């Protein structure tokens, strides 16, 4: 099996797990946040910078790479690792989520999804077989099943039909998967915000013996309390011996609260997207660097942070870079935010080992100025 | 004196000089190319990257920093070095060139220049005293006299009146200069494309005992042959014991041909500007990375280059980054082009030491596919 999970310890205060994921490109300490490199680059960052901040695995997008530059070119380059100069683990999603969130005029059939490129308008088609074949060409360590991520809100009937199709599609992904010796295929549990449907999906998806399982269809606009509730009843249905990946989640509070519920892996564009907008995650909460009050603030973004940005630059300088549209500004805030989440998960892992994750949570939420609603 | 020049050797094949410039922030080997950090950042680059490629000194712009963030803020930050996290030498220009090339509705008087900000339209004023005071606040190792850079073409009469005012302004800059103990003020020889006026200006400007002299008003649209001619008769009028700085020149051929004529220092936005456009300088000439022919080219930008970009990335990947509007693309080409010019000047210095600069020139021009017209 390309990827194996080693459970090291379960927190005594919560359901959180400290584990290790062994992959062909190295071992990942979990729970982990995975920076997103949509188009074979984590926006504004170099691979060396990602390593310097201890990024252990990054995520890339099948849909986007299928459109540009095309998986055939990535394959000819020797695969995604070589193409983008990244020798640590990579996870690719299946393109399912993007087909449903980005593309236009999509038409879902049992066979697959017809859609138009959000760039050129060209007619395209993705199916379980096609998405798996593309991911085989890209060559990531972990690949994802082609699924439908139902919108929120959605009717019970629709979500039920959708999750059942996702199960049938998983079977076809497994059959199409050509590189199980060096690529681990994860299944995705859907079911929207309905308990009976999450239970049905979890039962169906885990009936396939896979190296890992993901929870999809959360962080799609629902209140934070619903996400917590869905995790509360869904995570226990997943096998303890396999990694659990919560897709598309990246706000600091959600990372902590989902770790508490036993999630091992996260990804989200949030830290880099808000960074390019000048919003920074700090130990004291959100900071908008363009703000006039930072004009003469010669202190770092976060006094508690020891990242490259905070060791070398002041708020006044970074504010100036943003007002002057300078690329270095985007680099510095992107670096800081990714470092913030990576360090946060390091602290979560330490807290699990020390059986104090709940205490860590309460302290963090207080310092971060968090109410019960999500922070970003 | 804040800056002293040490002449090491004169090339036996040409008039080129190998020298050293000692400044408060370190020693610079000349002839040298200085990357431009217009707004207190060399676009897309980090200070560490500039050091890695052996950038020995960078240039920054008084006009731009006066507008954003304001020299008062840079001063409060502890000066430009501290503000931008750069501990090697810095040169600031006086803002003269930008006032004449960028701003609108300018009105030149003996006292100084009234103009409108090219950003906000606000009414502003720069004079020899003001430009010097601002540069004192910025704190660069080398600062430039406030001059008028006459346009090309311009009438003999206009250029004569302009250069004479530039001389009077230099006298006022010297009087206003408050930090001669740690900042070296360079004078600027003007005179357009007229031999008698260059001679007049050189005589007037060098009558002031300054730590260095610049040649302004070239690379303003004139043919390359005229630039060579102006240098041929102007450089010999400058004292051999002081550094000679040719302002705003950065095409590979011009760097070589002006070094041959005895120039020691160069600056230009060209390498970074064309890099952001996807144009790369290589040992085989200009390369436009967006070109379809590089779609499946898995070789580096320049087979003879050992820079970070060329050691780690292929043309196919960089082309993909440009087509996907990814910031890493701009970073990689900017790095490569700056490295190219810095390495070129290293080779020029070696050729001077080995008395073979003319041979080096001919070989380079042949390999680069250069005609007598300028390369970029």
């Amino acid at each position: 099996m390309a990827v194996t999970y080693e459970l090291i310890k379960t927190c005594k205060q919560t359901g959180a797990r400290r584990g290790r994921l062994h992959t062909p490109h190295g071992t990942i300490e979990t729970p982990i946040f995975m920076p997103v490199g949509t188009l074979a680059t984590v926006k504004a960052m170099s691979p060396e910078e990602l390593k310097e901040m201890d990024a252990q695995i990054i995520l890339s997008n099948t849909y986007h790479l299928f459109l540009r530059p095309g998986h055939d070119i990535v394959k000819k380059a020797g695969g995604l690792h070589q193409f983008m100069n990244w020798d640590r683990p990579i996870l690719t999603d299946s393109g399912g989520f993007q087909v449903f969130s980005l593309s236009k005029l999509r038409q879902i059939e049992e066979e697959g999804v017809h859609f138009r490129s959000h760039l050129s308008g060209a007619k395209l088609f993705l199916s379980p077989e096609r998405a798996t074949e593309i991911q085989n060409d890209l060559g990531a360590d972990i690949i994802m099943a082609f699924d439908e991520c139902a919108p929120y809100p959605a009717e019970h009937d629709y979500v039920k039909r959708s999750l059942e199709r996702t199960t049938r599609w998983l079977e076809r992904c497994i059959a199409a998967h050509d590189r199980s010796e060096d690529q681990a295929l994860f299944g995705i549990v859907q079911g929207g915000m309905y308990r009976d449907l999450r239970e049905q999906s979890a039962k169906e998806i885990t009936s396939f013996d896979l190296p890992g399982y993901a929870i999809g269809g959360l962080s799609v606009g629902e209140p934070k309390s619903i996400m917590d509730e869905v995790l509360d009843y869904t995570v226990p249905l997943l096998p303890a011996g396999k990694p659990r990946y919560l897709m598309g989640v990246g706000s600091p509070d959600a990372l902590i609260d989902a770790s508490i519920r036993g999630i091992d892996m996260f990804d989200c564009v949030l830290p880099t997207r808000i960074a390019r907008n000048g919003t920074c995650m700090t130990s004291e909460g959100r900071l908008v660097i363009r703000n006039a009050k930072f004009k003469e603030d010669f202190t770092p973004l976060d006094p508690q942070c020891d990242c490259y940005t905070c060791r070398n630059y002041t708020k006044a300088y970074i504010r100036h870079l943003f007002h002057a549209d300078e690329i270095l500004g985007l680099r510095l805030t992107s670096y800081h935010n990714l470092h913030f989440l990576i360090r946060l998960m390091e602290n979560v892992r330490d807290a699990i080992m020390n059986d104090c994750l709940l205490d860590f949570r309460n302290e963090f939420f207080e310092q971060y100025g968090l109410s019960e609603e999500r922070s970003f």
Side-chain angles (χ1 to χ4, degrees), chain A:
Chain A
M1 196 170 277
V3 165
T4 56
Y5 177 71
E6 178 191 348
L7 177 60
I8 299 173
K9 184 177 185 303
T10 304
C11 177
K12 285 184 186 145
Q13 279 193 333
T14 70
R17 302 128 51 87
R18 177 72 181 80
R20 256 180 218 128
L21 216 53
H22 302 283
T23 84
H25 285 86
T27 293
I28 300 154
E29 306 293 330
T30 62
I32 185 81
F33 175 77
M34 306 183 282
V36 178
T38 308
L39 276 149
T41 167
V42 176
K43 288 193 193 302
M45 294 289 95
S46 74
E48 289 73 20
E49 286 160 347
L50 293 167
K51 288 183 181 178
E52 193 184 78
M53 65 176 80
D54 289 329
Q56 299 182 55
I57 171 172
I58 61 170
L59 183 143
S60 206
N61 291 84
T62 292
Y63 170 87
H64 289 285
L65 294 173
F66 173 51
L67 263 56
R68 290 181 300 191
H71 53 106
D72 52 327
I73 286 180
V74 177
K75 186 184 184 181
K76 281 182 192 164
L80 197 48
H81 289 89
Q82 194 153 341
F83 184 59
M84 68 181 291
N85 185 33
W86 176 256
D87 56 11
R88 294 191 181 177
I90 301 177
L91 182 153
T92 46
D93 74 0
S94 65
F97 182 76
Q98 284 72 30
V99 165
F100 292 101
S101 63
L102 279 182
S103 72
K104 296 185 201 298
L105 296 171
R106 63 185 164 274
Q107 195 185 328
I108 311 172
E109 293 167 4
E110 186 61 25
E111 180 56 24
V113 188
H114 295 272
F115 61 97
R116 285 184 184 273
S117 158
H118 75 290
L119 297 170
S120 67
K123 283 187 187 177
L124 297 167
F125 178 70
L126 274 179
S127 65
E129 290 77 13
R130 190 94 178 102
T132 306
E133 182 191 292
I134 295 171
Q135 290 185 91
N136 284 164
D137 283 350
L138 297 175
D141 301 79
I142 300 172
I143 69 174
M144 301 303 298
F146 189 69
D147 64 333
E148 184 192 350
C149 176
Y152 172 82
E155 294 294 321
H156 188 276
D157 248 27
Y158 181 89
V159 177
K160 186 174 164 64
R161 271 181 287 121
S162 165
L163 83 84
E164 287 169 354
R165 188 170 44 225
T166 287
T167 301
R168 292 191 297 275
W169 282 0
L170 172 58
E171 200 165 359
R172 287 166 53 192
C173 288
I174 293 168
H177 185 23
D178 253 0
R179 291 179 59 177
S180 51
E181 75 290 354
D182 66 342
Q183 293 188 297
L185 173 67
F186 281 22
I188 304 174
V189 174
Q190 290 288 353
M193 313 306 161
Y194 300 103
R195 182 166 187 162
D196 61 323
L197 298 185
R198 284 285 171 183
E199 285 167 354
Q200 180 186 344
S201 180
K203 194 178 166 188
E204 290 178 10
I205 299 297
T206 60
S207 74
F208 299 93
D209 181 27
L210 296 171
Y213 300 94
I215 297 178
L218 288 180
S219 197
V220 288
E222 79 284 3
K224 178 167 156 52
S225 60
I226 293 191
M227 185 200 283
D228 289 347
E229 201 187 306
V230 174
L231 292 177
D232 276 334
Y233 57 67
T234 307
V235 176
L237 306 174
L238 304 177
K242 299 290 174 67
R244 303 152 175 176
Y245 163 29
L246 177 57
M247 303 181 80
V249 166
S251 69
D253 53 342
L255 291 182
I256 297 174
D257 280 348
S259 294
I260 283 176
R261 287 165 175 83
I263 295 291
D264 307 303
M265 302 163 69
F266 302 91
D267 82 284
C268 196
V269 296
L270 181 83
T272 41
R273 180 171 289 169
I274 66 173
R276 294 195 305 282
N277 210 14
T279 301
C280 302
M281 297 172 171
T282 81
S283 56
E284 288 158 0
R286 194 190 311 199
L287 182 154
V288 178
I289 196 62
R290 286 177 178 272
N291 202 307
K293 72 180 172 192
F294 300 127
K295 205 170 168 177
E296 299 189 7
D297 187 332
F298 301 113
T299 65
L301 287 176
D302 186 346
Q304 289 185 32
C305 179
D306 66 346
C307 82
Y308 167 73
T309 302
C310 290
R311 277 186 285 112
N312 294 297
Y313 302 93
T314 63
K315 295 191 195 81
Y317 181 63
I318 301 171
R319 177 180 184 275
H320 159 65
L321 294 177
F322 268 84
H323 281 277
D325 285 327
E326 285 287 352
I327 290 165
L328 185 59
L330 313 178
R331 291 180 56 175
L332 296 180
T333 54
S334 297
Y335 192 109
H336 172 81
N337 281 358
L338 287 172
H339 179 275
F340 183 85
L341 291 189
I342 286 168
R343 209 53 78 238
L344 174 68
M345 296 313 290
E346 220 171 82
N347 292 336
V348 166
R349 292 198 295 273
D350 285 347
I352 296 170
M353 292 311 282
N354 297 323
D355 291 312
C356 63
L357 184 54
L358 216 52
D359 304 330
F360 173 80
R361 178 208 192 263
N362 294 338
E363 207 174 298
F364 182 89
F365 273 53
E366 194 176 322
Q367 206 194 351
Y368 208 84
L370 280 174
S371 67
E372 281 314 297
E373 272 316 294
R374 203 166 300 140
S375 54
F376 284 95

